[in-house]
Amino acid sequence: MDKLLLLGDEALAQGALDAGISGAYGYPGTPSTEIFEYVQHSKEAAQRNVHRTWSANEKTAMEEALGMSYTGKRALVTMKHVGLNVAADPFVNSAITGANGGLIVAVADDPSMHSSQNEQDSRHYGRFALVPVFEPSNQQEAYNMTFDAFALSEKYETPVIMRLVTRLSHSRAGIVRTNQLKENKINLPANPNQFMLLPAFARINYKNLIEKQKFLEKESENSKYNVYHDGKDKSLGIITCGLGYNYVKENHVEAECEYPILKICQYPLPRKLITKIVDECDEILIVEDGMPVVEEWLRGYLDNCLKIKGRMDGTLPRYGELDPARLRTALDLEPYPIKEVPTIVKGRPPELCKGCPHRDTYYALNEAMKEYEPGHVFSDIGCYTLGFLPPFNAINSCVDMGASISMAVGAADSGLFPSIAVIGDSTFGHSGMTPLLDAVNSKSNIVAFILDNSIVAMTGMQDSAVTGRVEDICLGIGVDKEHLRVINPMKSHHEENVKIIKDEINYNGVSVIIPRRPCIHIVAKLRKQK
Amino acid sequence: MKKDIILAGVGGQGILSIATIIGFAVVKTDLYLKQAEMHGMSQRGGAVESHLRISDKEIHSDLVPHGRSDMIISLEPMESLRYFPYLKHEGWLITNITPFVNIPNYPEMEHLLKEIKGHKNSIAIDGDAIAKEIGSPRSMNMVMLGASAPFLEIPFEMLEDGIRAVFGRKGEDIVKKNLDALNRGRDFAEKHIKK
Ligand SMILES: Cc1ncc(C[n+]2csc(CCOP(=O)(O)OP(=O)(O)O)c2C)c(N)n1
Ligand code: SF4
């Protein structure tokens, strides 16, 4: 069979399609977006009518996927690591209900925070919720594992996390398709109480979940993805997680690695294999991309097993993405000679595109805010976050999706005037509506800008869930019609826009201003549609 | 055979098409390939890089290790220098010399050229000028791919096939211009090596 050249994200998606999913659910977020987009653009998915519309946020996506699992069909839900925080409630509880049809939660972590607010490690969530985790080390494994993850999910009636990291998500390699399974038919849970988490039933389910763990551990011990490679030199044993294996191997292309290596790609941890390598070797080096999750578990709180080396004792960097060269000293290898970056090279941060509607919004906002001290503008996540950089210096916060409006409410409660929120349309649909409801209910003195560029631009042009409905939503929430203002962010409207902003700042209550102009990258497409 | 390549440029200049074309060529052979790219935040006028690894043996890491790159192909002169820590001492630095100035503190061109020429094996080529000459300013990236072709150890025809496959949808004229750009880049590099 021909090789397909696929990103790690796409390999997982192809695996899910071939394993017979009936639906993909998700909310965009780098580096996970391409998993969903692959399903969305797949001809097969269209022929089979696999569900493939973006959800409003990760929580709704997770619940929708759980609903499909309830009916006995296989479902995939995709998100970036911080998305799992948003979906944490249904996720943790889905471990208690368990799955019926196979349920994979594909989460892409972003060590080094290439495009994220933090580098949290989703393996923590797996252990926290008692959910097994698969962590592919390459594209073919991402494809193959999807079959095994669905099978495990159905065998033990549990959701399964597939954890990717940026380097695998966004790296291409040739993969071979191996199998094509039929979709499941509707088959409701045999136990009618399975999804009823009333305390009486939840206690029973939780007990079952705990009992399941020893079987899941056994699965890990026998998994083809957890492999013990013996080595002659037992002065060091290496435990690798996911991509860590590649980085160790990369340093041994000329000569085989002399040390035993335990390659771990399936969790819960395979206890017997770990005990074996720890007993056999004098010292243990743990190589994992992301947080020192396994290292922390093995060290324990007292950390009295002195033979462990890794990110926590400084052998490897405490944070940030690993790369093969960084491992060399830990492996007792000569570092490669490395040329310095010449000092004349300057940073080149990303910027708002020329002609971007957000630019004109910020010019107008800055002018209206001239008379106040800096520090009044709470913003959010999206292209418009770049308004922090010069020449705009227009915003003062970016925390998590939706936090702009809620933080502005809290600051206004505290007496800050003016208190301004700046949020994108997709972010508003994701998590901005509920804080706006709070604002209306407590008659907060805030001005919320909802920047409507008709698209989710930051993550590469996905459909925004609220396009065409922003005003109706705000009115429905209870925003006063008089103080719901739509403006055209264009140079030619600058004066008028500044005046509207000033008027709304001076209104004591909730104002919403909607600067509306499409992202310049979709203008042509919108014209064609008309 | 083993080639570890860093592709460098500014978001929007077209490094991903270079990666796609090489990828297209390689996947038809028995060679292994890994290509890591950056998506998201870095697309908007910021520095972008892609790691491309080709080998006749299995490739482990998706990233080129620091100090091990055989070649930097850069669409922008300052960006070519940013990835020095990847480049082997004797690796090739192949760069376009038309600057993309979107920061206030962009360095002097002569200082950049001095650094570029200071590297043992370098090819500095005005990719933008050549692309304009053939009436296709947007094909600068294909000029640069052409300039690196003599070092790639991939049959030139396969790169041409890659261009046909990637640009085919956009019509015969665009394909022709990009093939032209590819050839012009290669000719420049070959002349330069002989000198
Ligand atoms: C919980 C969570 N999910 C997803 C993301 C990734 N993400 C960052 S911004 C963004 C959407 C931005 O869209 P919009 O608000 O419409 O602004 P635009 O980029 O179009 O200006 C997404 C999906 C995130 N940072 N956090
Ligand atoms: S992609 Fe669109 S929204 Fe984002 S900066 Fe560019 S023009 Fe603005």
Side-chain angles (χ1 to χ4, degrees):
Chain A
M1 205 182 212
D2 271 356
K3 274 186 286 179
L4 296 173
L5 190 56
L6 297 183
L7 296 173
D9 273 355
E10 297 170 339
L12 190 159
Q14 183 66 58
L17 282 170
D18 287 350
I21 50 165
S22 303
Y25 297 86
Y27 183 76
T30 315
S32 72
T33 312
E34 292 80 1
I35 309 173
F36 191 93
E37 287 186 327
Y38 187 86
V39 176
Q40 215 177 18
H41 300 140
S42 146
K43 281 203 195 99
E44 276 162 65
Q47 276 161 9
R48 271 162 45 187
N49 203 18
V50 171
H51 172 91
R52 54 192 191 290
T53 314
W54 287 113
S55 301
N57 66 33
E58 293 86 354
K59 178 176 184 286
T60 62
M62 177 75 217
E63 289 155 352
E64 285 148 10
L66 188 64
M68 182 168 273
S69 165
Y70 172 91
T71 68
K73 296 192 179 183
R74 290 185 164 184
L76 171 72
V77 52
T78 75
M79 61 195 73
K80 70 183 289 169
H81 58 346
V82 289
L84 191 50
N85 299 336
V86 176
D89 198 9
F91 170 72
V92 174
N93 289 313
S94 74
I96 313 283
T97 62
N100 181 30
L103 177 57
I104 290 185
V105 187
V107 195
D109 291 358
D110 190 16
S112 274
M113 311 180 216
H114 295 286
S115 34
S116 308
Q117 312 102 289
N118 72 37
E119 60 173 26
Q120 67 184 63
D121 192 312
S122 300
R123 293 174 300 166
H124 276 306
Y125 267 110
R127 178 151 129 143
F128 173 48
L130 300 177
V131 164
V133 177
F134 282 77
E135 189 186 8
S137 69
N138 60 47
Q139 291 77 356
Q140 186 69 50
E141 251 177 24
Y143 174 85
N144 295 348
M145 269 182 182
T146 309
F147 290 88
D148 297 297
F150 272 123
L152 190 83
S153 171
E154 286 173 0
K155 183 170 173 193
Y156 293 97
E157 299 187 342
T158 174
V160 174
I161 290 184
M162 290 267 295
R163 180 207 186 217
L164 300 176
V165 289
T166 305
R167 286 310 162 182
L168 182 57
S169 283
H170 286 170
S171 170
R172 260 173 245 279
I175 71 129
V176 182
R177 287 171 71 179
T178 53
N179 204 347
Q180 264 167 289
L181 305 181
K182 282 215 168 65
E183 291 181 34
N184 291 348
K185 298 227 156 52
I186 287 195
N187 181 15
L188 299 191
N191 168 7
N193 304 337
Q194 184 188 342
F195 286 80
M196 265 319 299
L197 295 189
L198 285 169
F201 300 131
R203 280 183 214 114
I204 298 171
N205 285 9
Y206 186 48
K207 189 163 155 266
N208 289 340
L209 174 63
I210 290 169
E211 272 160 19
K212 256 185 234 175
Q213 297 308 304
K214 55 177 181 287
F215 298 105
L216 292 172
E217 194 173 295
K218 195 159 272 155
E219 290 282 347
S220 288
E221 264 150 19
N222 299 324
S223 164
K224 58 179 181 258
Y225 302 114
N226 292 337
V227 190
Y228 188 92
H229 300 274
D230 208 357
K232 281 198 300 275
D233 185 347
K234 311 270 194 229
S235 62
L236 184 73
I238 306 172
I239 297 178
T240 67
C241 303
L243 281 195
Y245 180 72
N246 306 346
Y247 297 158
V248 173
K249 292 292 279 182
E250 183 68 35
N251 283 299
H252 294 99
V253 270
E254 284 95 24
E256 265 305 297
C257 182
E258 302 264 289
Y259 309 120
I261 303 176
L262 173 57
K263 174 185 187 232
I264 295 179
C265 292
Q266 182 177 335
Y267 308 72
L269 286 178
R271 188 176 293 275
K272 282 192 186 135
L273 293 173
I274 300 238
T275 314
K276 178 176 156 74
I277 195 165
V278 172
D279 284 350
E280 278 181 8
C281 300
D282 302 340
E283 280 192 310
I284 296 293
L285 172 69
I286 302 179
V287 183
E288 46 192 332
D289 205 12
M291 290 178 155
V293 174
V294 170
E295 189 179 342
E296 236 176 356
W297 294 340
L298 294 193
R299 282 181 190 276
Y301 184 76
L302 295 179
D303 195 6
N304 49 11
C305 163
L306 294 176
K307 54 198 264 184
I308 295 176
K309 302 197 287 185
R311 284 178 179 268
M312 295 173 72
D313 68 339
T315 305
L316 296 173
R318 176 63 182 79
Y319 53 87
E321 195 177 26
L322 287 181
D323 72 65
R326 277 184 167 183
L327 282 180
R328 290 187 72 78
T329 11
L331 295 169
D332 265 336
L333 298 167
E334 189 73 25
Y336 298 123
I338 288 175
K339 279 166 82 88
E340 300 271 320
V341 183
T343 48
I344 52 167
V345 175
K346 298 292 178 278
R348 195 191 300 260
E351 57 179 3
L352 290 170
C353 304
K354 304 275 174 297
C356 172
H358 300 333
R359 284 180 174 259
D360 294 295
T361 299
Y362 282 132
Y363 286 130
L365 174 61
N366 278 354
E367 183 158 339
M369 292 294 289
K370 244 192 206 151
E371 57 191 285
Y372 307 100
E373 295 285 302
H376 292 252
V377 184
F378 302 91
S379 190
D380 230 296
I381 311 188
C383 281
Y384 51 94
T385 315
L386 298 171
F388 171 73
L389 300 174
F392 308 103
N393 308 109
I395 60 174
N396 310 107
S397 76
C398 155
V399 181
D400 67 88
M401 292 186 76
S404 54
I405 299 182
S406 1
M407 284 179 71
V409 168
D413 291 343
S414 184
L416 186 77
F417 175 81
S419 188
I420 312 275
V422 176
I423 188 169
D425 55 337
S426 177
T427 307
F428 178 67
H430 179 285
S431 300
M433 298 186 287
T434 39
L436 188 60
L437 184 60
D438 285 350
V440 167
N441 285 343
S442 57
K443 301 191 174 58
S444 294
N445 189 11
I446 65 162
V447 181
F449 284 77
I450 303 173
L451 311 185
D452 186 0
N453 59 356
S454 308
I455 202 88
V456 192
M458 174 96 244
T459 44
M461 311 303 152
Q462 293 79 28
D463 292 329
S464 162
V466 296
T467 299
R469 272 174 295 177
V470 182
E471 287 99 307
D472 287 346
I473 292 171
C474 294
L475 292 174
I477 285 174
V479 174
D480 181 350
K481 206 169 177 186
E482 300 284 300
H483 299 282
L484 177 65
R485 316 284 296 262
V486 179
I487 65 173
N488 186 353
M490 297 271 280
K491 251 201 201 86
S492 50
H493 292 246
H494 180 76
E495 306 304 325
E496 179 189 336
N497 293 346
V498 174
K499 180 167 182 314
I500 291 175
I501 297 171
K502 283 188 170 168
D503 287 349
E504 292 310 326
I505 288 175
N506 290 321
Y507 164 67
N508 187 352
V510 177
S511 304
V512 171
I513 298 178
I514 306 171
R516 175 167 294 137
R517 177 154 74 81
C519 160
I520 56 166
H521 297 288
I522 58 157
V523 171
K525 198 174 117 196
L526 290 178
R527 231 180 257 137
K528 247 187 237 160
Q529 279 170 4
K530 267 186 198 158
Chain B
M1 185 272 188
K2 183 162 180 289
K3 288 278 167 229
D4 282 336
I5 305 163
I6 303 285
L7 298 169
V10 177
Q13 278 191 310
I15 68 169
L16 289 187
S17 319
I18 298 188
T20 311
I21 287 163
I22 299 181
F24 182 88
V26 171
V27 85
K28 304 229 135 147
T29 66
D30 288 333
L31 295 171
Y32 292 91
L33 170 100
K34 280 201 173 179
Q35 183 234 324
E37 57 200 38
M38 293 301 304
H39 296 206
M41 192 82 167
S42 43
Q43 288 173 328
R44 327 222 170 279
V48 284
E49 61 180 287
S50 166
H51 292 213
L52 190 61
R53 314 193 69 191
I54 306 165
S55 174
D56 52 10
K57 298 198 187 60
E58 194 187 345
I59 302 166
H60 297 291
S61 166
D62 296 273
L63 292 173
V64 175
H66 284 100
R68 303 308 288 163
S69 174
D70 301 292
M71 193 188 313
I72 291 175
I73 307 173
S74 178
L75 305 187
E76 208 279 342
M78 182 176 82
E79 294 309 317
S80 77
L81 302 174
R82 194 185 300 283
Y83 304 96
F84 257 8
Y86 285 101
L87 194 58
K88 282 182 188 165
H89 208 70
E90 67 285 9
W92 279 91
L93 180 65
I94 300 158
T95 184
N96 179 22
I97 53 167
T98 301
F100 188 109
V101 182
N102 63 345
I103 49 171
N105 51 350
Y106 194 90
E108 293 291 331
M109 206 44 220
E110 62 184 287
H111 295 161
L112 289 175
L113 284 176
K114 203 170 138 222
E115 288 286 354
I116 292 165
K117 300 261 161 71
H119 180 73
K120 189 167 155 212
N121 293 322
S122 67
I123 293 186
I125 163 172
D126 195 341
D128 280 271
I130 293 178
K132 269 194 207 113
E133 247 172 65
I134 61 170
S136 178
R138 298 197 52 192
S139 305
M140 178 274 284
N141 55 346
M142 292 302 114
V143 176
M144 297 311 300
L145 174 59
S148 57
F151 310 97
L152 279 176
E153 293 181 45
I154 300 172
F156 194 72
E157 305 71 55
M158 295 186 95
L159 296 178
E160 293 183 315
D161 286 347
I163 287 187
R164 284 188 199 102
V166 170
F167 294 105
R169 267 185 315 128
K170 298 187 176 168
E172 199 38 49
D173 185 49
I174 303 244
V175 170
K176 219 177 125 280
K177 287 209 162 109
N178 280 295
L179 288 173
D180 206 10
L182 186 79
N183 278 281
R184 292 288 297 267
R186 176 187 59 175
D187 294 349
F188 182 98
E190 279 179 347
K191 247 186 249 148
H192 183 96
I193 309 169
K194 278 194 200 109
K195 260 197 276 181

